[in-house]
Amino acid sequence: MYTDTERCVRAVQSKDARFDGWFFTAVLTTRIYCRPSCPVVPPKVENMTFYPSAAACQQAGFRACKRCRPDTSPGSPEWNARADSVARAMRLIGDGVVDREGVPGLAARLGYSARQIERQLLAELGAGPLALARAQRAQTARLLIETTGLPMADVAFAAGFSSVRTFNDTVREVFALSPGELRTRAARSAKPPATPGVIALRLPYRSPLNPSNLFGHLAATAVPGVEEWRDGAYRRTLTLPHGHGIVALTQHPDHIACRLFLTDPRDLTLAISRCRWLLDLDADPVAVDDRLRADPLLAPLVDKAPGRRVPRTVDGAEFAVRAVLGQQVSTAAARTHAARLVTAHGVPVDDPEGGGLTHLFPVPEALAGLDPERLALPRSRRTTLTTLVGALADGSLRLGTDTDWAKARAELTALPGFGPWTVEVIAMRALGDPDAFLPTDLGIRRAAAELGLPSTPAALTARAAAWRPWRAYAVQYLWTVDDHPINHLPA
């Protein structure tokens, strides 16, 4: 979008927050870059230039605006709606892969050479993987500076910097303030967290956001010990590269309040990325709803409660296991089966805020040796589960934010017991494919019949072609036709 100068200028002059994250405005006279909705008086048109990423702005010598904090904009919705190598690279960079594995590690995950990835990212984003990762490190550092009392040296290494000097230079260059000045400014208005060690931050999103299906779905399907709804917040445990974490997420009119407890601050970048992915916060609800509203039979559902998101997962492997446990059983039964696995094979943890979170969901390696005879499941489903766990544990099946959607579908379909419903629900919630569709789902078929849509899977799929590429969001609206707990926030 950043190449459409006229459209960008209109967005800046109208301070349209819907375009935050789509592009960034750099002001040639002040050498500052802003988000489109920056509250200051818009600059003259001849002084504006536009970039596709904060990293590209920083690489061109611009520093972040202190008023609108463009580095905290929602992410571009393109990276979650696309499945090409650039989108997959951006999702991996968002997960901190470059900091942990370097550019060679990023390229290896994508099946390209480092030079090819560099060229593709430069062409589309105006910055290579190192510059993009550097911009993300700066934002992580800012969060740690402003929300924790960690010594600056610890902040530097937790954010992924190789030295304190590089950390200091980057912070000054990007924010035009020293780390100490950032902390002093934040301390004037910040409230100390009630629980020591908790990092409190805001996760921005594009409005509207309807919390009912999002938090309602997560709460209704929560696995005891791993997830809970408590005091108006969705809480869960997180398995992370350097340790574990516990997060509490609460919806507010213009942001999601996020409270993170981490055993190792180096996991902050990934934890934030997982939470944004879980809640589908980088979606463009206006574009989605406009497409679905064009169908006269869907329009009333969209108009009644716009801004529905696709509830996802913090771990693809975890969700795949839970999807198999939930085959052809009720939501309550699926939770019971999952809770038994957690108690038997999950790692115990302490909840620092005294809640009901007791375990991490078991990783595939921990489940690889389970005795199928001890599973209270039909024999065919035991085979499905053990085969899935084996493939996840040995690495022959990968279900991550960077996974190729078509390849994953083919690999899942080849496993015993994986029909279209299971494959598509994993594609929708674990892989994040916005066009995943569940025409065989009982709730979808009931909704279709009630709305006057075709009720057979083949006919409904044909009708749903007009909803592409947002059929996963259409599923969320169709599920609201039934009065199911997933559609309502808990009391």
Side-chain angles (χ1 to χ4, degrees):
M1 177 182 173
Y2 75 102
T3 58
D4 188 342
T5 301
E6 184 178 342
R7 191 180 180 196
C8 290
V9 168
R10 289 200 305 269
V12 171
Q13 292 178 337
S14 62
K15 304 183 187 301
D16 195 334
R18 293 177 300 169
F19 294 98
D20 288 354
W22 277 102
F23 70 91
F24 296 84
T25 307
V27 185
L28 298 174
T29 51
T30 62
R31 307 301 297 175
I32 289 173
Y33 74 94
C34 303
R35 61 170 79 194
S37 64
C38 184
V40 302
V41 176
K44 295 179 179 179
V45 174
E46 59 266 29
N47 293 331
M48 296 184 203
T49 186
F50 305 103
Y51 290 91
S53 65
C57 294
Q58 294 167 19
Q59 193 160 271
F62 296 90
R63 65 182 186 275
C65 173
K66 295 175 184 176
R67 285 287 301 278
C68 69
R69 299 184 58 163
D71 49 304
T72 62
S73 295
S76 171
E78 285 193 87
W79 314 134
N80 287 346
R82 288 165 42 182
D84 56 56
S85 58
V86 171
R88 291 163 60 206
M90 289 301 294
R91 293 197 288 268
L92 284 171
I93 292 170
D95 277 352
V97 166
V98 172
D99 292 334
R100 296 193 301 274
E101 303 174 22
V103 177
L106 172 70
R109 285 187 178 228
L110 297 171
Y112 290 89
S113 69
R115 186 175 179 181
Q116 286 174 304
I117 292 299
E118 178 91 23
R119 186 171 61 248
Q120 291 176 27
L121 290 173
L122 277 171
E124 188 154 347
L125 286 151
L130 288 177
L132 291 161
R134 175 180 178 269
Q136 181 167 273
R137 283 195 293 273
Q139 170 60 8
T140 302
R142 183 173 195 161
L143 284 171
L144 288 170
I145 290 168
E146 294 181 339
T147 63
T148 75
L150 286 174
M152 292 302 179
D154 293 346
V155 170
F157 295 116
F161 289 96
S162 57
S163 71
V164 175
R165 181 177 179 178
T166 303
F167 158 73
N168 287 327
D169 290 346
T170 299
V171 171
R172 285 195 186 95
E173 181 182 338
V174 173
F175 304 116
L177 293 168
S178 70
E181 290 169 332
L182 275 177
R183 179 163 283 174
T184 300
R185 284 167 59 96
R188 294 173 190 157
S189 57
K191 296 180 180 179
T195 305
V198 170
I199 300 172
L201 57 142
R202 294 183 171 200
L203 304 181
Y205 58 79
R206 294 176 184 84
S207 296
L209 181 143
N210 188 310
S212 298
N213 82 301
L214 187 56
F215 289 105
H217 199 124
L218 295 172
T221 60
V223 177
V226 174
E227 304 166 283
E228 69 172 0
W229 179 265
R230 179 170 172 250
D231 298 331
Y234 167 76
R235 305 178 73 243
R236 72 154 292 149
T237 59
L238 304 170
T239 300
L240 300 164
H242 300 103
H244 71 268
I246 290 177
V247 64
L249 300 164
T250 310
Q251 194 260 345
H252 290 271
D254 61 348
H255 70 276
I256 299 292
C258 174
R259 291 170 53 79
L260 271 169
F261 172 82
L262 301 173
T263 56
D264 192 317
R266 289 178 294 174
D267 289 322
L268 178 62
T269 297
L270 179 58
I272 293 172
S273 175
R274 295 294 88 205
C275 292
R276 294 194 65 83
W277 178 261
L278 171 72
L279 302 182
D280 194 16
L281 295 185
D282 291 327
D284 183 351
V286 175
V288 172
D289 289 352
D290 283 350
R291 172 60 62 88
L292 300 182
R293 195 179 279 115
D295 188 316
L297 296 182
L298 278 186
L301 297 179
V302 177
D303 292 336
K304 181 180 179 182
R308 292 189 178 273
R309 300 300 208 272
V310 177
R312 294 179 179 161
T313 180
V314 296
D315 184 87
E318 172 191 317
F319 184 79
V321 169
R322 291 171 60 172
V324 169
L325 295 175
Q327 288 177 334
Q328 299 177 344
V329 297
S330 67
T331 300
R335 295 178 66 209
T336 299
H337 290 313
R340 289 171 181 163
L341 275 188
V342 166
T343 301
H345 302 280
V347 175
V349 297
D350 293 325
D351 187 337
E353 297 189 304
L357 303 181
T358 59
H359 288 79
L360 302 176
F361 196 90
V363 297
E365 292 77 8
L367 295 175
L370 61 81
D371 181 2
E373 297 301 321
R374 302 188 66 178
L375 297 173
L377 299 170
R379 186 169 299 276
S380 60
R381 200 161 314 144
R382 295 181 202 169
T383 301
T384 300
L385 181 62
T386 54
T387 305
L388 168 67
V389 167
L392 291 168
D394 65 21
S396 58
L397 174 65
R398 291 183 60 250
L399 300 174
T401 57
D402 61 309
T403 301
D404 180 277
W405 297 336
K407 181 181 178 184
R409 278 183 169 91
E411 292 173 342
L412 288 168
T413 301
L415 297 177
F418 275 78
W421 183 89
T422 308
V423 171
E424 286 301 303
V425 79
I426 291 173
M428 180 172 69
R429 297 193 57 197
L431 305 182
D433 183 353
D435 203 37
F437 192 50
L438 308 173
T440 61
D441 181 84
L442 181 59
I444 298 300
R445 296 181 68 179
R446 286 177 177 168
E450 185 166 333
L451 294 174
L453 291 163
S455 56
T456 64
L460 183 57
T461 299
R463 173 62 178 267
W467 307 338
R468 306 190 77 167
W470 309 120
R471 293 185 300 177
Y473 294 87
V475 168
Q476 308 309 313
Y477 283 106
L478 290 171
W479 271 338
T480 66
V481 174
D482 263 354
D483 186 23
H484 193 281
I486 64 171
N487 297 314
H488 307 288
L489 286 173

